[in-house]
């Protein structure tokens, strides 16, 4: 005999101390119980074993015009989830996923990689456009740094690996099946709501994923780019540490993938590290 809630086995002494109306499970020899998690596992297993039957039953329920909006939403989400084709990669395997996508993309991973590259390219364009706010002398130096960053991004293929499920685990933000988890707001270590999404699963999830943000903890527009420009203005013979700014702008050193509900648009009040803005040049040895 054990507790229904968590599977704790009852001794005679413990049985005397449990509260009234506690739910118990009586097991026969060889049976095990891990708590209500076991019920959930059985439910999920039955979904996958009888997937087609459940989809058909849900569709029949949807045809009933008397279904309330909440129940219709649950049924639609259920049908969509059970019809997912997560492991499919090519157009032939999952044509619906590619609706609205240019023919040049032959598989899901290449499109998702391009999706990430586009975001990073957009960040780079914002860096470049800031040059217009500087004077001629500073502008030339700023553009030179921006060109170095551009070449570095190009060599790294614009970090498209972050969204590519075929990449090595250490380089991607998703599982090998394509599941992404929200990393929480900029000022939190985790997402309390446990948001997750698999844009590889179906067309709707792919579109919804576009609302997720690669958010800069230290803000790009308000902090990093102005700090870079200021560093160029005040360098006074020093060398601007472009690699530090590069990491803040384009890498997971400062980027967090967040669900739109966890994307706080208020000021982050985080600054660049003053000790990292310039590099220390090695002194030339006297002949």
């Amino acid at each position: 005999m054990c507790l229904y809630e968590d599977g704790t086995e009852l001794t005679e002494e413990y049985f005397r101390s449990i509260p009234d109306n506690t739910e118990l499970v009586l097991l026969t020899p060889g049976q095990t119980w891990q708590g209500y998690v076991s019920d959930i596992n059985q439910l999920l297993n039955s979904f996958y074993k009888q997937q087609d039957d459940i989809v058909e039953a849900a569709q029949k329920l949807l045809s009933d015009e008397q279904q309330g909006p909440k129940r219709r939403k649950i049924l639609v989400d259920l049908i969509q989830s059970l019809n997912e084709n997560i492991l499919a990669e090519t157009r032939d395997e999952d044509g619906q996923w590619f609706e609205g996508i240019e023919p040049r993309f032959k598989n899901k991973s290449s499109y998702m990689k391009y999706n990430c590259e586009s975001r990073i390219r957009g960040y780079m364009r914002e860096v470049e456009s800031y040059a217009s706010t500087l004077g001629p002398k500073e502008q030339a130096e700023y553009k030179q740094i921006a060109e170095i960053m551009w070449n570095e991004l190009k060599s790294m293929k614009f970090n498209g690996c972050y969204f590519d499920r075929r990449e090595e685990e250490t380089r991607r933000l998703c599982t090998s099946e394509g599941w992404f988890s929200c990393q929480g707001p900029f000022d939190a270590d985790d997402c309390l709501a446990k948001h997750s999404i698999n844009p590889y699963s179906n067309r709707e999830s792919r579109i919804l994923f576009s609302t997720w943000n690669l958010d800069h903890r230290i803000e790009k527009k308000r902090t990093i780019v102005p700090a870079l420009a200021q560093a160029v203005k005040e360098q006074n013979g020093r060398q601007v540490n472009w690699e530090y700014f590069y990491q803040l702008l384009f890498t997971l050193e400062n980027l967090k993938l967040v669900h739109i509900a966890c994307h706080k648009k208020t000021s982050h009040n985080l600054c660049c590290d003053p000790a990292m803005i310039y590099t220390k040049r090695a002194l030339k040895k006297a002949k």
Side-chain angles (χ1 to χ4, degrees), residues 261-280:
C262 287
H263 185 208
K264 295 182 178 179
K265 295 187 177 181
T266 55
S267 177
H268 292 189
N269 293 320
L270 296 173
C271 301
C272 298
D273 184 352
M276 296 295 294
I277 289 177
Y278 298 102
T279 60
K280 296 180 179 179

Side-chain angles (χ1 to χ4, degrees), residues 7-282:
T8 300
E9 188 173 343
L10 297 178
T11 61
E12 183 176 350
E13 183 179 353
Y14 186 26
F15 180 79
R16 299 175 189 275
S17 64
I18 60 175
D20 292 345
N21 300 314
T22 297
E23 292 184 74
L24 306 176
V25 175
L26 184 63
L27 304 175
T28 58
Q31 288 185 315
T32 59
W33 183 257
Q34 297 176 334
Y36 54 72
V37 172
S38 298
D39 265 357
I40 296 173
N41 278 333
Q42 291 177 18
L43 179 64
L44 292 174
N45 287 334
S46 69
F47 269 8
Y48 286 104
K49 289 177 182 178
Q50 305 175 47
Q51 183 169 321
D52 293 339
D53 293 339
I54 293 172
V55 169
E56 184 179 351
Q59 288 173 335
K60 287 180 179 178
L61 286 172
L62 272 177
S63 64
D64 182 358
E65 295 182 357
Q66 296 184 5
Q67 295 286 342
K70 289 185 178 180
R71 293 187 67 184
R72 292 185 69 83
K73 176 68 168 59
I74 292 172
L75 290 170
V76 169
D77 288 348
L78 175 62
I79 293 170
Q80 178 182 305
S81 297
L82 293 178
N83 280 330
E84 289 176 347
N85 199 357
I86 291 175
L87 298 181
E89 261 289 312
T90 66
R91 285 181 179 269
D92 292 338
E93 294 172 320
D94 193 355
Q96 290 184 340
W97 192 91
F98 288 88
E99 288 182 15
I101 294 178
E102 297 176 31
R104 65 189 175 100
F105 295 105
K106 305 301 181 184
N107 57 65
K108 295 179 179 180
S109 295
S110 64
Y111 176 78
M112 292 301 300
K113 184 176 181 179
Y114 167 79
N115 183 290
C116 187
E117 290 174 1
S118 297
R119 300 190 190 205
I120 300 296
R121 285 175 189 267
Y123 299 162
M124 187 65 233
R125 284 193 290 271
E126 290 182 55
V127 174
E128 290 177 319
S129 66
Y130 202 85
S132 62
T133 65
L134 302 175
K137 184 179 178 181
E138 292 85 3
Q139 191 174 113
E141 178 69 19
Y142 184 93
K143 285 184 176 180
Q144 186 178 0
I145 293 173
E147 185 178 359
I148 293 172
M149 288 184 175
W150 179 268
N151 290 332
E152 180 68 17
L153 278 175
K154 190 174 180 181
S155 70
M156 297 301 295
K157 299 181 180 178
F158 298 93
N159 294 336
C161 55
Y162 297 158
F163 290 178
D164 187 348
R165 66 180 179 181
R166 301 169 301 181
E167 284 284 350
E168 297 177 8
E169 185 176 357
T170 55
R171 289 168 54 81
R172 51 179 157 84
L173 283 168
C174 60
T175 68
S176 58
E177 288 188 338
W179 285 99
F180 291 83
S181 296
C182 174
Q183 295 176 317
F186 77 92
D187 55 355
D189 294 330
D190 200 3
C191 171
L192 297 178
K194 304 299 179 186
H195 296 121
S196 65
I197 191 171
N198 191 331
Y200 287 85
S201 60
N202 54 56
R203 180 172 176 267
E204 184 171 332
S205 294
R206 167 175 66 78
I207 294 171
L208 283 174
F209 186 67
S210 65
T211 65
W212 285 51
N213 293 275
L214 271 175
D215 189 29
H216 292 82
R217 289 184 63 253
I218 301 175
E219 294 174 282
K220 175 178 79 271
K221 287 184 178 180
R222 289 181 175 144
T223 306
I224 304 172
V225 177
L228 173 60
Q230 194 66 25
V232 170
K233 289 180 182 179
E234 301 175 354
Q235 64 185 75
N236 193 25
R238 294 173 292 182
Q239 184 174 336
V240 176
N241 186 1
W242 68 268
E243 290 176 312
Y244 171 64
F245 289 101
Y246 175 91
Q247 289 177 343
L248 294 183
L249 287 164
F250 309 116
T251 76
L252 301 182
E253 291 287 328
N254 190 48
L255 290 172
K256 297 183 76 175
L257 182 68
V258 297
H259 184 279
I260 189 170
C262 287
H263 185 208
K264 295 182 178 179
K265 295 187 177 181
T266 55
S267 177
H268 292 189
N269 293 320
L270 296 173
C271 301
C272 298
D273 184 352
M276 296 295 294
I277 289 177
Y278 298 102
T279 60
K280 296 180 179 179
R281 287 181 171 178

